[in-house]
Structures are given as structure tokens and as C-alpha cells.
Amino acid sequence: MNVQAAHILVVDDEPDIRRLVREILEDEGYRVCVAENAAEARTLKINQNPDLILLDIWMPDTDGITLLKEWVSEDPVMCPVVMMSGHGSVESAVESTRLGAYDFLEKPLSLAKLLLIVERALESGKQLSDRASLRPLIQDIEPVGKSAAVARTKEQLKRLGQHDARVLFQGVAGVGKELYARYMHNNSTRREGAFIAVAVGSISPENSAIEFFGKEQAGKIYPGLLEQANGGTLFLSEVGGMDKDSQQRLLGALESSSFLRVGGSEPVRVDVRVVTSTRTPLEEEVKAGRFRQDLYYLLNEVTMEIAPLREHSEDIPGLLNFYVDYFNTQEKLPFRKFTMAAQNYLRNYTWPGNVRELRNLVQRLMILGVGDDMDVEEVKSALGSVTEGVINSSSVPEFYNMPLKEAREHFEKAYLEYHFEKSGGSVAKLASIIGMERTHLYRKLHSLNIKL
């Protein structure tokens, strides 16, 4: 990031600290604005849209940890935040980074450390922004395949796109339910509107009202998911995991096509098509009393079954070639090709993780492998274990030649996608397997552009 363009918000109740940090950063070419309390910080964050926030933990009105929680709940992919404290402790550092802070600085501030962390945090924010800019390219991808199963599903979705019936996509983990939902949206009368996708499991029960309906606070309006998708489509993945209170709220909003923002007094009317997905039959959740029957009937006007990959294995060579080209052009990974023997082996593989597993396999092989060809033995090794594939390679993996930061990011993505497949696409199971708190894990998955 060009430091001349980088804008930094400094939040600290001590005038001397604000002045010192501002002078240091402005001398380095950064643009700086300052706030002495949380109230000023909230206003400046909205009006100035900073690239980085330096946030003091101890402030008289609202402490920095509380303010960080508030900001993260409003915008999980906000700019990097570096916490500062003169009463630094291991507990404060752990808590702030767990909530999503980029790093932690102790007072008195070290000039060299301040500038180093600022530079790294801004670079991290730039990479996140770059990945976000690729999202429209990813969103334009349509289901790949020439099989009868894929062709039939695409044709049905084109017809459904001309109507506003609510569609429930059913299929096992990794078949691409969101991709098919997006395809329907792109071929619908709502194609000019937004397509907003959210994993229901990422919405905490205590925040669901704000997530769905938004809020009004201090004269500002923060639109929720339904309002963001107004005129377009809201896609709720794995809807069976929604808690009872959220089910009740969503039911009421869909029945009336209106809602109240949290803190608001005027009804907000929306025109939005809500489509959903599930990997387990919702009828079972209804029978078990975990999902409301009236909401089930409201959401399930049409059911679309998405076939597992093993039922249209003739599409596998095309999918392999598609993702090789995709990762080569979009992520600049070295071009490699599958041998015919490897393609034949993969056509007979059972694909428990479906298209998601295939996509991740191609990415792992292009990141970790060497040579122009991906043969059967390399494919078998990669399917068995990420680490085993690295250890058994007779040559140095490609990512060994990258800068440490980039190599770590490539490995983290391959590692998380591998265990995500093994956990059946469950974030809760993934968090347990890798030993990471779920809130922090969601941010990590989002920052690495790993689809839920």
C-alpha cells in the first residue's frame, strides 16, 4: 500500500500519546486522524473509512476491547486494528487478538516496533482487500459440467429464475449449493440486484436480530442482511442450524415483508428473494422439534437436489482443467497439468468432499507440488494427507521459494481446507480439530477466502 494514501485512525484518551503518534506517522507520510474517546472513534471510523486503527484499551467512556467487539460484530472484515495499552498484560493481548485485532503494542511505545507493526498491518489489510476484489470474478463462475445431471439442473434453475418461489437446495457437503443458487440469481429477473450469501452457523443467536434487520444508533443506519439484499437474493446456507429465536424473527419478516431495525421505530419494507440450503433433510429437523414447521413450509416452496460428484463423474476431467486454469490465472500459481492416468484415477475416486474437495485438491497440488505434470502417485499422496504429500516429495515444494508471509498463508489455506473437508464442512468440528476458537476461525476462513 502506498503510505501516502494510507489513512490511520489513532484512538487514545491521552493527549500526549495522540500528538506523539500522529507526528511520528505523519513524518512517515501517512494521513492521520485522532480521537480521544470511543464516541469520537465511532464517528471518525464511519466518516473517514481508515485503512488501520490504533486503539487504546483503557478509555474513560468505552474500553477498547468492548469497542473492538462492537466493530467486529458490525463488520467481520473491517480494516486491521492494533491495540495499545500502558497496562499491557498477556490476558489483554490474547483477548484482543482472539477478537480479531491484528496485533498488540505496549506503552511506552517503541518507535521501531510501532512503524514495523503499522507497515505489516497495512499490508495485511491490502491483501484482504485484494482478495475481496477477486470475489466478483469468483461469483461469476457457473456450475461446470456437460453431464445430463448438471445440464438438467441448470435448465431447471433458469426456469425458476423467472419466478420468485423460495428454493431449498439440498445436497451433501461440498456439492456447490451456493454456486447453483448464485447461478439461479444470475439467470433471474433479480440479476441486477445483490446476491448476499451468509452461513447461518456464523450468526450468533444474540446478534441475529442485528445481522438480519440491522440497527439504528446515534442517527446512523446500519443495514442488515435483508436490507442489503433488497431487490436481489439472500442465500442462507445450512439453514437447519438456525436457532429458534432467529427462526421466529425470520418467519415474521418473511410473512410481512417488513421488519424493525434494532433501535428503530419505523417499519422497513423489503423486496427480497430468500433461498436456502441444507446438507441434512430439514424434515428430520422438523420432526425432532429443532426447526419450525411453518418456516420449513415457507422456505421450501421448491426443492432442488444437487447431485454428488460421484453421480456425474464424467464431469471430473472438465472440472480439473477448469480449476487448473482458474488458479493459474486468478492466483498466479504455476501451471501444471494432470496426466491421463491421474484423471482416470480421479474419475473412479469416491469424492466424499465433492466439488469442494476436487477444487482444494487442485489448489494443494499446484501450491505444494513441483514439475509440469501431476501424476497418479502425487494425487494419491495429496488425497491421503497434506503433510504426507509434502514429506514424500523428493523435490522442494513450490511454496518453499516464497517469502515467509506468503508461504505461511498458502500453507494455512491448504491446511484449513484439508481439515474442512475431513470435518464434512462443519465449522464447529473444524474448530475442535485444529484447536481454534470459532469467532477467530470464521475471520481466518474469511481472510483466506475459504468458502463456507
Side-chain angles (χ1 to χ4, degrees), residues 289-338:
R290 292 187 291 265
F291 199 85
R292 295 180 62 106
Q293 187 176 52
D294 45 6
L295 180 59
Y296 167 69
Y297 288 129
L298 195 66
L299 296 175
N300 188 27
E301 292 178 338
V302 178
T303 300
M304 282 297 302
E305 290 283 348
I306 307 301
L309 185 54
R310 64 179 178 273
E311 292 184 8
H312 55 105
S313 59
E314 62 267 39
D315 289 325
I316 288 170
L319 283 162
L320 293 171
N321 292 332
F322 172 83
Y323 282 116
V324 165
D325 289 340
Y326 173 81
F327 288 119
N328 175 243
T329 56
Q330 300 300 331
E331 297 196 7
K332 309 304 180 187
L333 295 178
F335 181 81
R336 308 185 73 207
K337 65 181 185 298
F338 287 90

Side-chain angles (χ1 to χ4, degrees), residues 126-158:
K126 180 179 182 298
Q127 290 178 359
L128 184 60
S129 176
D130 289 346
R131 281 191 292 272
S133 69
L134 285 176
R135 233 162 268 145
L137 295 172
I138 295 170
Q139 291 172 0
D140 288 339
I141 296 173
E142 67 175 62
V144 175
K146 298 179 180 179
S147 65
V150 171
R152 181 173 57 251
T153 301
K154 289 168 69 173
E155 184 58 35
Q156 290 173 338
L157 291 175
K158 284 181 181 179

